């Protein structure tokens, strides 16, 4: 039960973060950040131009001081937003790897009494094939092959695009479940 709850939690965190990055609000915030970045460059250019025109002994106008304060605050805000966005965008890969690792562990240790186990198989394979991350042979060998029988057509169609772990999994499916997998293999050949 704990493995199942953890698998659901980790996958939902990944999915929510992924949806957040793909949302229109995220794109609008990116456009706003680019606009504020342009504004910062313009303010910096005006401030530096005004400072160059001032003579050494001449006092600095109050509006130029205010402009410098505005530039400093705008620069700080732009930097914070850029850092936050970079952290969220960087975390998506971390969440994907954690979700993949958790789902592989779940599928290798969970018993078959849970009736929705196939949803975890589909999630794991989806993450595995979309991430491009090669799952170690030992991890995939720990998962019973019968869990992948329902997905044999999808797995066989990906043989040309994926690496050794998928090839090993397909070999296991063909040798351990020939009645279910050989017709699929022949059809795709």
């Amino acid at each position: 039960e704990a493995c199942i709850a953890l698998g659901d939690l980790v996958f939902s965190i990944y999915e929510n973060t992924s949806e957040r990055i793909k949302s229109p609000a995220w794109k609008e915030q990116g456009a706003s950040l680019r606009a504020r970045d342009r504004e910062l460059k313009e303010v910096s250019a005006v401030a530096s131009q005004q400072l160059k025109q001032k003579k050494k002994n001449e006092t600095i106008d109050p509006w130029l001081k205010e402009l410098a304060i505005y530039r400093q605050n705008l620069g700080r805000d732009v930097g914070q937003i850029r850092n936050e966005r970079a952290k969220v965008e960087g975390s998506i890969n971390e969440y994907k790897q954690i979700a993949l690792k958790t789902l592989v562990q779940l599928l290798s240790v969970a018993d078959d009494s849970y009736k929705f186990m196939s949803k975890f198989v589909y999630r794991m394979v989806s993450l595995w094939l979309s991430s491009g991350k090669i799952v170690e042979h030992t991890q995939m060998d720990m998962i019973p092959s019968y869990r992948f029988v329902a997905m044999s057509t999808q797995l066989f169609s990906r043989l040309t695009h994926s690496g050794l772990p998928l090839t090993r999994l397909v070999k296991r499916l063909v040798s351990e479940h020939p009645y279910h997998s050989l017709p699929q293999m022949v059809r795709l050949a």
Side-chain angles (χ1 to χ4, degrees):
E1 291 293 320
C3 280
I4 292 170
L6 183 62
D8 260 341
L9 174 69
V10 171
F11 187 78
S12 66
I13 289 172
Y14 162 72
E15 204 169 48
N16 289 339
T17 306
S18 181
E19 287 174 9
R20 179 179 174 197
I21 289 175
K22 294 174 186 174
S23 72
W26 186 263
K27 293 175 184 174
E28 288 174 14
Q29 185 191 34
S32 173
L33 176 64
R34 287 187 294 277
R36 293 186 81 183
D37 202 24
R38 282 191 302 273
E39 181 183 0
L40 177 62
K41 289 176 184 175
E42 291 170 5
V43 167
S44 296
V46 168
S48 64
Q49 182 183 16
Q50 290 296 321
L51 285 174
K52 285 180 184 178
Q53 291 177 354
K54 294 285 181 192
K55 295 179 182 174
K56 289 185 181 181
N57 296 335
E58 202 173 318
T59 60
I60 297 176
D61 291 334
W63 73 269
L64 195 55
K65 288 181 182 179
E66 289 178 25
L67 187 64
I69 292 170
Y70 178 70
R71 179 180 68 174
Q72 182 181 5
N73 290 338
L74 186 60
R76 185 188 64 234
D77 291 346
V78 166
Q80 282 179 335
I81 293 170
R82 187 177 288 125
N83 287 340
E84 288 173 9
R85 287 178 63 85
K87 285 179 183 176
V88 170
E89 289 170 352
S91 70
I92 191 74
N93 289 328
E94 284 181 43
Y95 291 143
K96 186 184 281 190
Q97 297 307 321
I98 292 170
L100 185 59
K101 185 177 180 179
T102 304
L103 290 171
V104 166
Q105 290 174 349
L106 165 67
L107 292 171
S108 62
V109 298
D111 61 355
D112 295 331
S113 62
Y114 187 68
K115 65 180 180 177
F116 299 112
M117 191 58 69
S118 62
K119 96 175 170 183
F120 295 110
V121 175
Y122 286 105
R123 286 178 175 179
M124 192 278 298
V125 171
S126 172
L127 284 175
W128 175 33
L129 296 176
S130 71
S131 71
K133 170 144 177 21
I134 296 176
V135 178
E136 295 179 22
H137 307 301
T138 55
Q139 290 177 324
M140 289 304 290
D141 290 343
M142 291 177 5
I143 301 173
S145 63
Y146 67 86
R147 296 195 192 275
F148 298 103
V149 169
M151 297 191 70
S152 61
T153 305
Q154 293 92 334
L155 293 172
F156 292 168
S157 68
R158 292 286 188 113
L159 270 175
T160 58
H161 305 293
S162 296
L164 190 58
L166 182 59
T167 306
R168 288 173 56 107
L169 178 59
V170 167
K171 286 179 183 176
R172 281 179 50 211
L173 278 171
V174 169
S175 66
E176 295 173 16
H177 309 283
Y179 292 110
H180 297 287
S181 55
L182 279 177
Q184 310 283 346
M185 183 69 103
V186 170
R187 189 174 357 166
L188 291 171

